């Protein structure tokens, strides 16, 4: 016999009990991990949703000025300080995530009327400090507690490393989800009642209530009732009526239509005064507007709707540019020419091209903008509509059908910033290829000539087009103090080939009566005025001038903050605060 004693076998019942305990522990861990992951998912998606709810009142760029930095500080506070907070705060805070989420639309509704007093720099930060950041804090706090049940000992990690693995992974998860959501949500925004700004907030709140069911959610019932019945921002017919009631009684405006879409919150507004007008709005910016033919306007000689903004009429000056080289060949009539319009707005410039018989193609990213321009601003149906990204269209068309257009109008500015990829050397090269040899392009840009962003864009345009002239749409205001930002609308008009003449190649013929289309605005603004020409010194690339390719767009984006803040302040002088705040 062996001298070693045999290990006694465990009773079968004990083995079963141990196995059951392991399974139960594993099940608990998996359940906790799933709940934690769901909370982190909600916190991540809520980040761009919060920004979307601020953008109609503050604009997308100003709303984001402090967002990422404060989001990081909040996450660090929740993950690092939670162990100390456990002494004073209950660990089970998950139920309050839903409560905060349901109250977010109410808090925004109450604070938006103070948007001017809160200011562009701190207003969004203050509102998110009462809405999104508490939600983020509680989500990370609760998720970390649930993830503490994971046993990391079998990974043989040092204790110091083990303590930061879960917090770091949690923050990385929230940040990644926020970035993915920010890129994907605009593609479905407005496709249903649930996929709207407030709809997303309510969905996230309901999801949080499902993940952590509790009687605490009863605290959210007043907020739910307010959002459904008293909030004009709610995308329902009742909310639409509330918004109109507020606008009419307080501002003498009417909301004709509104829709959340890929480029932002799009709406059509109409004023009710002697000088009545209709506007197309996108977030905290205007895409265009028209003076209506009221009895008072009719007495003054107005017989048709007129553009409020001179810049959209000035873009039509591409038709007035004379051929650089004189020939004996009979010039083409307008009906034999083609025009490409990138960026629609309300359709002032393309309508003029169509009225002159020019075969016009419009490239517009947002289908809602195209629909509203047609329904509320009489966009002529006699055009080719391309509802697509202009970068994709130009890249493809410049290869398959180069030299297709006599005229190109480029007008994509909105919200204090511009789609940066539509101002790169690659995109400008595509436009150059699409023009016929005697073609002309007009580019609308809004900015301050003292800013590096404006200089970068103008140098990039001139690097591709050899001869350009720059006109602002209005003189400098008499109240503008020297040294203050001079944020202006400007039109850059360039020819494809200058034949060595430089900017002297850009000359305008005298207008004929038919050029004005019987329009007062065109009589006033169609012909570029010499006194509004801006003498700008382009610096060539080989002389140290900077230009922007696709890989350099970050350089332009750095300047967006200054431009967007200036634009916000200007917009607040164009329309009353209450109009912006009421959506």
């Amino acid at each position: 016999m062996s001298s070693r004693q045999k290990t006694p076998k465990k009773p079968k019942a004990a083995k079963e009990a141990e196995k059951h305990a392991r399974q139960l522990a594993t099940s608990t861990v998996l359940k906790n991990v799933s709940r934690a992951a769901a909370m982190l998912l909600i916190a991540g998606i809520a980040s761009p949703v919060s920004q979307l709810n601020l953008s109609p009142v503050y604009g997308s760029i100003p709303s984001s000025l402090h967002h990422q930095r404060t989001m990081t500080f909040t996450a660090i506070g929740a993950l690092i300080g939670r162990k100390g907070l456990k002494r004073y705060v209950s660990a089970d805070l998950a139920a309050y995530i839903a409560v905060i989420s349901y109250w977010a639309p109410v808090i925004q509704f109450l604070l938006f009327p103070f948007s001017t007093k809160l200011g562009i720099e701190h207003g969004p930060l203050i509102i998110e400090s009462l809405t999104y950041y508490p939600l983020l804090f509680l989500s990370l706090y609760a998720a970390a507690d649930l993830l503490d049940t994971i046993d990391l000992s079998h990974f043989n990690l040092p204790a110091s490393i083990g303590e930061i693995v879960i917090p770091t992974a949690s923050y990385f998860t929230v940040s990644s989800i926020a970035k993915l959501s920010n890129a994907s949500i605009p593609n479905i925004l407005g496709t249903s009642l649930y996929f709207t700004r407030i709809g997303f907030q309510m969905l996230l709140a309901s999801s949080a209530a499902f993940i952590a069911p509790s009687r605490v959610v009863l605290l959210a019932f007043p907020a739910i009732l307010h959002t459904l019945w008293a909030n004009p921002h709610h995308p329902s017919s009742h909310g639409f009526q509330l918004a109109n009631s507020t606008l009419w009684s307080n501002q003498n405006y009417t909301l004709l239509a509104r829709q959340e879409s890929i480029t932002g919150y799009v709406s059509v507004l109409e004023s009710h005064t002697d000088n009545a007008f209709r506007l197309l709005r996108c977030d905290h910016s205007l895409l265009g507007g028209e003076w209506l033919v009221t009895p008072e306007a009719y007495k003054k000689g107005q017989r048709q709707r007129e553009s409020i903004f001179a810049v959209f009429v000035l873009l039509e000056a591409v038709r007035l540019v004379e051929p650089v080289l004189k020939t004996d060949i009979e010039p083409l009539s307008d009906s034999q020419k083609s025009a490409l319009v990138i960026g629609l707005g309300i359709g002032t410039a393309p309508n003029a091209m169509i009225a002159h018989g020019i075969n016009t193609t419009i490239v517009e990213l947002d289908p809602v903008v195209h629909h509203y321009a047609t329904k509320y601003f009489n966009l002529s149906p006699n055009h080719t509509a391309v509802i697509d990204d202009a970068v994709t269209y130009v890249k493809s068309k410049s290869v398959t059908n180069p030299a297709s257009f006599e005229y190109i109008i480029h007008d994509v500015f909105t919200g204090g910033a511009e789609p940066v990829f539509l101002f790169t050397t690659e995109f400008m090269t595509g436009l150059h290829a699409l023009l016929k040899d005697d073609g002309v392009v007009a580019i609308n840009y809004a900015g301050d000539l003292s800013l590096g962003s404006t200089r970068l864009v103008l140098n990039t345009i001139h690097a591709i087009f050899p001869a350009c002239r720059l006109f602002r749409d209005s003189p400098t205001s008499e109240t503008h103090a020297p040294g203050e930002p001079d944020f202006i609308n400007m039109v850059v008009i360039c020819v494809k080939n200058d034949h060595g003449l430089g900017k002297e190649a850009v000359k305008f013929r005298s207008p004929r009566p038919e050029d004005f289309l019987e329009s007062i605005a065109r009589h006033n603004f169609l012909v570029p005025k010499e006194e509004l020409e801006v003498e700008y010194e382009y610096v060539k690339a080989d002389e140290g001038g900077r230009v922007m390719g696709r890989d350099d767009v970050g350089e332009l984006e750095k300047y967006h903050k200054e431009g967007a803040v200036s634009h916000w302040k200007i917009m607040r002088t164009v329309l009353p605060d209450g109009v912006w705040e009421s959506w």
Side-chain angles (χ1 to χ4, degrees):
M1 274 184 77
S2 170
S3 60
R4 290 181 295 178
Q5 295 183 350
K6 295 181 178 179
T7 302
K9 295 181 178 180
K10 290 183 180 180
K12 186 175 181 181
K15 287 183 176 181
E16 290 295 326
E18 189 177 295
K19 181 180 178 182
H20 178 71
R22 286 198 302 269
Q23 290 175 339
L24 184 62
T26 302
S27 175
T28 300
V29 169
L30 290 175
K31 182 179 178 181
N32 288 345
V33 170
S34 298
R35 289 183 65 200
M39 291 176 186
L40 297 177
L41 181 66
I42 289 172
I45 296 174
S47 171
V49 169
S50 175
Q51 293 282 280
L52 284 170
N53 278 275
L54 294 175
S55 61
V57 177
Y58 285 105
S60 58
I61 294 175
S63 297
S64 67
L65 293 179
H66 305 290
H67 181 77
Q68 188 60 48
R69 186 186 304 110
T70 310
M71 185 177 168
T72 302
F73 289 153
T74 302
I76 292 173
L79 296 170
I80 294 180
R82 66 187 180 86
K83 291 188 176 180
L85 288 173
K86 279 185 180 180
R87 302 173 190 174
Y88 312 102
V89 182
S90 169
D92 187 19
L93 295 175
Y96 291 92
I97 298 172
V99 176
I100 290 175
S101 299
Y102 279 124
W103 276 98
V106 180
I107 294 171
Q108 291 162 349
F109 166 80
L110 294 174
L111 291 182
F112 282 160
F114 300 95
S115 63
T116 300
K117 291 182 179 179
L118 294 175
I120 188 63
E121 288 285 350
H122 301 105
L125 176 62
I126 292 170
I127 294 175
E128 287 199 298
S129 295
L130 298 173
T131 54
Y132 174 61
Y133 298 132
L135 181 153
L136 174 63
F137 183 93
L138 292 183
S139 297
L140 287 166
Y141 185 97
D145 272 338
L146 292 170
L147 294 174
D148 275 344
T149 58
I150 300 175
D151 183 8
L152 298 175
S153 60
H154 60 278
F155 291 104
N156 297 320
L157 295 173
S160 59
I161 299 297
E163 289 181 1
I164 66 171
V165 167
I166 289 177
T168 302
S170 298
Y171 176 68
F172 177 78
T173 299
V174 171
S175 182
S176 299
I177 291 171
K179 291 177 181 177
L180 290 172
S181 302
N182 190 51
S184 58
I185 285 177
N187 295 321
I188 60 172
L189 199 62
T191 56
S192 80
L193 183 66
Y194 302 105
F195 296 157
T196 58
R197 284 161 168 77
I198 289 184
F200 271 117
Q201 286 181 310
M202 302 299 280
L203 271 178
L204 292 172
S206 300
S207 300
F210 177 79
I211 294 166
S214 169
R215 292 179 182 177
V216 172
V217 78
L218 292 173
L219 297 172
F221 275 11
I224 295 171
L225 291 175
H226 180 275
T227 299
L228 295 177
W229 294 105
N231 195 331
H233 305 149
H234 191 270
S236 61
S237 57
H238 180 66
F240 185 86
Q241 292 172 2
L242 285 174
N244 254 327
S245 175
T246 303
L247 284 167
W248 175 256
S249 60
N250 297 338
Q251 308 295 339
N252 210 20
Y253 278 78
T254 298
L255 182 65
L256 300 182
R258 65 180 183 181
Q259 176 72 42
E260 297 178 38
S261 190
I262 189 170
T263 58
Y265 167 80
V266 184
S267 64
V268 181
L269 291 160
E270 192 167 288
S271 75
H272 295 277
T273 61
D274 288 340
N275 297 318
F277 53 83
R278 184 176 291 181
L279 298 168
L280 181 62
R281 169 187 176 179
C282 181
D283 280 350
H284 201 280
S285 186
L286 297 176
L287 302 184
E290 291 179 333
W291 298 108
L292 302 179
V293 185
T294 62
E296 187 68 24
Y298 193 86
K299 290 178 184 177
K300 296 178 181 178
Q302 183 182 337
R303 297 295 182 266
Q304 60 177 287
R305 293 183 184 181
E306 299 284 1
S307 175
I308 292 175
F309 303 105
V311 67
F312 301 124
V313 176
L314 184 56
L315 289 167
E316 300 171 27
V318 290
R319 290 186 58 256
L320 304 183
V321 176
E322 294 182 320
V324 178
L325 296 180
K326 306 296 183 182
T327 66
D328 294 331
I329 301 175
E330 186 71 21
L332 296 176
S333 65
D334 279 340
S335 61
Q336 296 174 292
K337 296 179 180 179
S338 296
L340 172 66
V341 179
I342 298 173
L344 173 60
I346 66 170
T348 301
N351 258 348
M353 297 292 114
I354 296 167
H356 288 297
I358 299 171
N359 181 19
T360 304
T361 298
I362 300 172
V363 181
E364 169 57 49
L365 179 63
D366 196 327
V368 174
V369 170
H370 186 270
H371 173 63
Y372 283 176
T374 302
K375 184 174 181 180
Y376 296 100
F377 297 93
N378 298 326
L379 174 64
S380 170
N382 299 324
H383 67 274
T384 300
V386 180
I387 308 301
D388 197 2
D389 174 38
V391 172
T392 302
Y393 173 84
V394 168
K395 183 178 180 180
S396 172
K397 185 79 171 178
S398 61
V399 174
T400 58
N401 297 93
S404 297
F405 303 101
E406 277 81 11
Y407 309 122
I408 294 179
I409 293 175
H410 179 300
D411 180 18
V412 295
F413 179 86
T414 180
E418 56 284 311
V420 290
F421 289 103
L422 272 62
F423 288 90
T424 61
T425 52
E426 289 86 352
F427 190 77
M428 293 297 160
T429 300
L431 296 186
H432 190 274
L434 284 174
L435 281 175
K436 294 185 178 180
D437 287 342
D438 57 350
V440 186
V441 60
I443 301 172
N444 178 23
Y445 187 80
D448 186 339
L449 286 168
S450 66
L451 293 180
S453 56
T454 305
R455 294 193 298 270
L456 183 62
V457 168
L458 294 178
N459 273 338
T460 302
I461 294 171
H462 197 260
I464 305 303
F465 293 96
C468 301
R469 291 176 69 182
L470 175 61
F471 298 88
R472 55 189 298 159
D473 67 338
S474 60
T476 303
S477 171
E478 293 180 1
T479 60
H480 178 264
E484 287 186 354
D486 189 13
F487 196 88
I488 60 171
N489 267 317
M490 60 191 90
V491 173
V492 188
I493 299 179
C494 311
V495 294
K496 180 172 183 175
N497 296 307
D498 68 342
H499 299 283
L501 297 176
K503 63 180 296 184
E504 295 300 320
V506 184
K507 291 185 178 181
F508 303 96
R509 64 172 172 80
S510 297
R512 295 183 284 269
E514 59 268 24
D515 292 322
F516 298 119
L517 298 173
E518 300 180 345
S519 161
I520 296 174
R522 290 183 177 87
H523 273 283
N524 292 332
F525 308 121
L526 175 61
V527 182
K529 297 179 174 63
E530 289 187 10
E531 62 269 25
L532 295 182
E533 183 168 5
V534 178
E535 295 297 333
Y536 180 79
E537 191 66 34
Y538 297 98
V539 183
K540 297 180 180 179
D542 56 6
E543 296 176 358
R546 302 186 62 190
V547 297
M548 183 177 65
R550 288 185 59 86
D551 296 333
D552 308 313
V553 294
E555 185 70 18
L556 182 57
E557 290 174 332
K558 288 194 305 183
Y559 294 101
H560 277 178
K561 172 185 172 181
E562 297 171 270
V565 169
S566 296
H567 182 77
W568 183 85
K569 293 176 180 178
I570 291 171
M571 288 294 101
R572 285 302 172 110
T573 65
V574 175
L575 293 179
D577 295 343
V579 174
W580 297 113
E581 295 158 353
S582 297
W583 293 22

